[in-house]
């Protein structure tokens, strides 16, 4: 043990622990948990990640939503689209002040354009979703 410990530059205790692990027999996950045969070890292994079917469905739904959003954004004029994207779709939204300077209009006017554009966007998405049978 001392020689292995020195060569690997690890404590002797780690060498003993690893030796025990390597000397132990392999166990099947299909082996019963108890001698009575109730359940197997594999029953204790739980995969909480989404199933392949769930991931596929989520990806398809996300794709459909992105298409609806893209089409709805196309229904806005350039200024409405830009203001809405800057204010609602960015991680760090632009301030009303920044956009008011960019368009040389008041902050209140920017806010009004944003609200009107968002309402248009919602209506367009609802209508498109109904047409595609995605909404009730």
């Amino acid at each position: 043990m001392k020689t292995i410990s020195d060569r690997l530059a690890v404590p002797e205790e780690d060498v003993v622990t690893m030796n025990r692990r390597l000397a132990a027999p392999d166990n099947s996950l299909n082996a019963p948990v108890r001698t009575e045969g109730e359940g197997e070890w594999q029953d204790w292994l739980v995969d909480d990640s989404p199933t392949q079917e769930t991931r596929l469905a989520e990806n398809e739904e996300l794709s459909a939503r992105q298409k609806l959003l893209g089409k709805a954004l196309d229904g806005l004029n350039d200024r409405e689209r830009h203001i809405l994207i800057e204010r609602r779709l960015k991680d760090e939204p632009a301030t009303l002040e920044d956009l008011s300077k960019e368009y040389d209009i008041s902050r209140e006017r920017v806010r009004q354009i944003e609200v009107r554009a968002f309402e248009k966007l919602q209506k367009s998405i609802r209508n498109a979703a109904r047409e595609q049978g995605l909404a009730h």
Side-chain angles (χ1 to χ4, degrees), residues 118-135:
F118 188 69
E119 288 169 353
K120 282 182 176 180
L121 191 72
Q122 286 179 314
K123 184 178 178 183
S124 176
I125 289 174
R126 263 191 239 111
N127 291 338
R130 273 193 210 101
E131 288 172 8
Q132 294 178 15
L134 301 173

Side-chain angles (χ1 to χ4, degrees), residues 3 106 109:
T3 306
S106 70
R109 183 66 185 132

Side-chain angles (χ1 to χ4, degrees), residues 10-98:
V10 296
E12 284 184 44
E13 185 178 312
D14 288 354
V15 174
V16 172
T17 303
M18 187 54 68
N19 186 47
R20 286 185 188 142
R21 288 182 184 169
L22 293 172
D26 291 337
N27 293 314
S28 171
L29 292 174
N30 295 109
V33 176
R34 295 191 181 89
T35 54
E36 300 88 43
E38 289 181 31
E40 298 176 346
W41 284 106
Q42 72 179 355
D43 297 338
W44 290 89
L45 298 175
V46 179
D47 183 7
D48 292 330
S49 63
T51 64
Q52 182 177 1
E53 292 83 9
T54 302
R55 285 195 311 267
L56 177 64
E58 287 173 352
N59 286 340
E60 286 178 352
E61 183 178 346
L62 177 62
S63 178
R65 288 176 183 239
Q66 287 173 335
K67 287 177 186 173
L68 286 174
L69 178 61
K71 287 180 182 178
L73 284 171
D74 288 343
L76 302 175
N77 67 41
D78 291 340
R79 183 168 73 168
E80 290 171 333
R81 186 179 320 107
H82 180 253
I83 289 173
L84 189 71
I85 288 171
E86 291 296 319
R87 294 280 298 153
R88 303 255 180 141
L89 299 178
K90 295 242 174 146
D91 288 335
E92 293 183 26
T95 64
L96 293 172
E97 182 68 27
D98 292 340

